[in-house]
Amino acid sequence: MEFSIKNTSFIAKQKSECLVISIDSSNKQSDLVKDLDQSIQAMISQLINNGEVTGKLGETTFIYPFANDLTQKLLLVGCGKATEFDVTKSKKVINAVVKELLAKKVKNITWDLLTFNPAQSCEIAKRIPQIVGEMTYQFDQFKSKKSPIPSLTKVTLLYTDNKLTETLTHNLLQGQIIANAIKSTKTLANMPSNVCNAQYLAQQGKQLAKNHSSLKVTCLGEKELAELNMNAYLAVGRGSVNESIMTVIEYNGAQDKKAQPFVLVGKGLTFDSGGISIKPSASMDEMKYDMCGAATVYGVMQAVAELELPINVVGVMAGCENMPDGNAYRPGDILTTMSGTTVEIINTDAEGRLVLCDALTYIARYNPKVVIDIATLTGACIVALGHHYTGVMGNNEKLITQLVSSSNKTDDKAWALPIDDDFQQQIKSTCADIMNSSGRDGGTITAACFLSRFTKEYQWAHLDIAGTAWKSGANKGATGRPVAMLIQYLLDQNQS
Ligand code: BES
Ligand code: MN
Ligand code: ZN
């Protein structure tokens, strides 16, 4: 898909296949629309006057004027009151338009979406590629009959304010990079577990570094993990024939090459059967998505490289598979983690925290400025926040506030949950330092409490994406969340 912007004051002169015209419901049409209306014998105002076109948000009407030089079709789209137009409304409008264009197989459009609200235009320019990307995404590589390739390939957005050229161009490009990152995350996350194991994550990481010379990738296999005493991580993978591999992607964009990095750690359970504490069969297929944290790290690192951010970032994909087997770890086992803290295994299905705790200990060697882990960690998070909000916890209020604010800016919603000492009591063990599971109550928070025992040396936040990383049912598939929120967070850091 090709996106571009164009400075013009004559919409009728555009030569694309279809002109998309934004209609104001308070009937104060822009000069562009008025001009166009004149050149087609007032067809638009007639439709408005007889009530057929109202400008209601998302209302669409095709017209085929074939008047004068105008050979294009027109798609009128209601935008509500122009003065109240904002990013949320733009999402509805873009959705409605793209749906119509795809149905009519239109290839090439010109749209005046950026003309009537200069203040918001930049935000909208950044959003458009993401919304269009979302609407046209397909994962059909395993289908014999491929879905038709979306017809729409060229989108030209018009603007009239000369002063905006630079920011609009910049935002549109940023939006495309973010859209591509989300797409990469989705496609990696959608891969089935018989293809996507820890080895596959490692290969994808290496391929990413081949395509982006600013990225460096290192893989630690079971031998290396054993030398580092990452026994909790290794225990989880012991029942699987697929090797546990931790893939580390490094990006050094800061002027000061030694500047403290932002570290992202993604849970990469390429399949979570529950292990010996096996899960029920219903929906177990969805546990192929238990590597969505790692897929998020992959997408964010791709964007970091393409945005050429002036910061240092380390991304970890903690690849592993949790399977029952004669060699699998068991309930009752006591493991000594890399940090020395001992863990009594109560439930082998609480495996994510075991993989993460060693990865979080490992990355301390980077002297991180901030550490954020991303994990499909607890079913309890779905009970607490549904499929709408990512859960945010951590040991630093400012970091949590910043993440929630990035989530609000990008509409990739997140909500903070408390982790205080009252919850910490729940993970006490009678025979080891802590237990890996402590029942249902406050399950998302006690999982974060577990992780907090391994993150004392740095500022840390934990994102529980169990409810937000994928959709079930008819639209089953990865969502690419919380890639947008994390990129926004990193973009904001680079400004401060
Ligand atoms: N990957 C799951 C969490 C999960 C379950 C995410 C369902 C999304 C949908 C995680 O490894 C897990 O099994 N957690 C257990 C923890 C419990 C045993 C303490 C859970 O949530 O039931
Ligand atoms: Mn599990
Ligand atoms: Zn899991």
Side-chain angles (χ1 to χ4, degrees):
M1 185 91 53
E2 192 188 320
F3 292 93
S4 58
I5 52 167
K6 191 167 173 188
N7 185 228
T8 187
S9 22
F10 302 105
I11 196 165
K13 295 252 169 74
Q14 309 308 313
K15 286 293 171 231
S16 60
E17 186 187 345
C18 175
L19 300 178
V20 183
I21 313 299
S22 311
I23 301 295
D24 178 352
S25 67
S26 56
N27 207 6
K28 290 194 192 100
Q29 307 312 332
S30 69
D31 292 341
L32 284 188
V33 177
K34 281 187 202 151
D35 275 356
L36 178 68
D37 194 36
Q38 272 181 12
S39 70
I40 56 170
Q41 290 91 40
M43 274 177 93
I44 299 175
S45 35
Q46 279 170 42
L47 285 167
I48 294 175
N49 291 340
N50 69 24
E52 236 175 283
V53 168
T54 65
K56 197 174 129 244
L57 198 67
E59 171 197 76
T60 51
T61 318
F62 266 111
I63 49 178
Y64 301 81
F66 298 114
N68 301 338
D69 299 339
L70 202 73
T71 52
Q72 304 98 318
K73 37 183 170 291
L74 302 183
L75 175 57
L76 308 183
V77 59
C79 291
K81 275 191 192 159
T83 46
E84 290 167 13
F85 196 64
D86 61 15
V87 175
T88 323
K89 296 202 170 92
S90 78
K91 195 170 171 178
K92 285 206 175 116
V93 169
I94 296 166
N95 267 305
V97 165
V98 173
K99 213 169 132 200
E100 289 288 353
L101 295 174
L102 292 177
K104 289 266 189 313
K105 299 202 178 358
V106 175
K107 294 190 193 71
N108 174 351
I109 65 157
T110 302
W111 192 354
D112 67 338
L113 188 63
L114 304 178
T115 57
F116 55 104
N117 193 337
Q120 298 257 349
S121 291
C122 292
E123 260 319 298
I124 295 168
K126 191 162 156 183
R127 272 308 174 81
I128 288 168
Q130 297 179 61
I131 301 170
V132 175
E134 174 70 41
M135 291 193 70
T136 50
Y137 179 80
Q138 282 163 352
F139 182 72
D140 59 5
Q141 62 188 95
F142 295 96
K143 288 197 175 186
S144 309
K145 194 167 178 279
K146 311 289 178 209
S147 354
I149 295 166
S151 48
L152 188 62
T153 48
K154 197 159 181 265
V155 178
T156 308
L157 300 162
L158 303 182
Y159 68 105
T160 44
D161 189 344
N162 258 323
K163 288 182 295 235
L164 287 176
T165 307
E166 209 175 311
T167 21
L168 281 176
T169 312
H170 178 74
N171 279 34
L172 189 65
L173 191 67
Q174 260 190 11
Q176 283 172 276
I177 292 175
I178 299 167
N180 284 336
I182 292 173
K183 186 176 172 192
S184 295
T185 292
K186 281 186 183 173
T187 298
L188 183 55
N190 282 333
M191 283 295 169
S193 309
N194 58 326
V195 174
C196 177
N197 51 32
Q199 175 91 51
Y200 183 86
L201 290 178
Q203 282 161 357
Q204 295 302 304
K206 284 185 190 148
Q207 192 57 46
L208 190 64
K210 269 205 184 126
N211 298 338
H212 298 86
S213 59
S214 57
L215 299 178
K216 192 186 115 199
V217 170
T218 329
C219 301
L220 289 82
E222 290 185 352
K223 185 169 159 276
E224 289 82 15
L225 299 177
E227 281 161 8
L228 287 158
N229 281 319
M230 298 176 74
N231 302 311
Y233 190 149
L234 284 167
V236 174
R238 242 173 39 205
S240 168
V241 293
N242 296 310
E243 185 177 0
S244 297
I245 304 174
M246 183 166 79
T247 301
V248 183
I249 312 171
E250 288 171 68
Y251 170 84
N252 275 294
Q255 285 224 317
D256 173 5
K257 294 295 164 218
K258 293 217 166 70
Q260 289 180 282
F262 293 84
V263 179
L264 306 173
V265 179
K267 172 175 171 182
L269 263 289
T270 59
F271 189 67
D272 176 16
S273 67
I276 299 298
S277 316
I278 198 161
K279 287 182 181 292
S281 313
S283 304
M284 206 205 268
D285 57 289
E286 295 186 9
M287 283 299 116
K288 70 174 175 187
Y289 298 120
D290 212 17
M291 38 64 77
C292 281
T296 297
V297 169
Y298 176 87
V300 173
M301 293 310 291
Q302 176 186 311
V304 163
E306 291 178 5
L307 293 166
E308 299 175 15
L309 295 185
I311 50 174
N312 293 339
V313 188
V314 177
V316 175
M317 300 195 281
C320 188
E321 186 179 43
N322 187 19
M323 295 292 265
D325 176 81
N327 197 33
Y329 79 129
R330 331 158 182 74
D333 285 0
I334 297 176
L335 309 175
T336 303
T337 62
M338 182 182 182
S339 71
T341 299
T342 57
V343 181
E344 179 190 6
I345 303 306
I346 300 298
N347 189 322
T348 62
D349 197 11
E351 84 299 337
R353 63 200 76 181
L354 298 170
V355 168
L356 288 175
C357 74
D358 280 344
L360 289 166
T361 302
Y362 176 81
I363 53 88
R365 66 188 55 205
Y366 289 101
N367 182 26
K369 185 175 163 78
V370 159
V371 177
I372 303 169
D373 77 75
I374 308 104
T376 48
L377 205 62
T378 63
C381 195
I382 311 176
V383 178
L385 300 172
H387 296 284
H388 308 292
Y389 285 82
T390 292
V392 190
M393 289 139 278
N395 62 11
N396 184 287
E397 281 308 319
K398 186 171 161 222
L399 173 59
I400 293 170
T401 311
Q402 283 173 336
L403 285 167
V404 171
S405 139
S406 314
S407 86
N408 289 333
K409 274 195 200 169
T410 49
D411 203 25
D412 185 359
K413 293 186 284 192
W415 197 264
L417 299 172
I419 47 169
D420 60 39
D421 287 345
D422 291 345
F423 295 98
Q424 293 283 359
Q425 305 307 319
Q426 279 179 246
I427 59 170
K428 265 191 185 161
S429 161
T430 56
C431 54
D433 298 336
I434 46 177
M435 321 189 274
N436 81 324
S437 155
S438 55
R440 269 173 29 137
D441 300 349
T444 302
I445 297 170
T446 51
C449 286
F450 183 98
L451 299 178
S452 75
R453 304 297 181 104
F454 303 87
T455 56
K456 298 215 167 97
E457 286 175 36
Y458 44 71
Q459 294 184 30
W460 158 76
H462 159 59
L463 303 179
D464 194 328
I465 56 168
T468 51
W470 76 88
K471 286 187 178 137
S472 318
N475 294 320
K476 187 166 114 176
T479 59
R481 291 178 67 182
V483 170
M485 148 185 182
L486 284 169
I487 296 174
Q488 186 64 47
Y489 168 77
L490 293 174
L491 278 169
D492 290 348
Q493 296 314 303
N494 118 43
Q495 263 143 31
S496 60

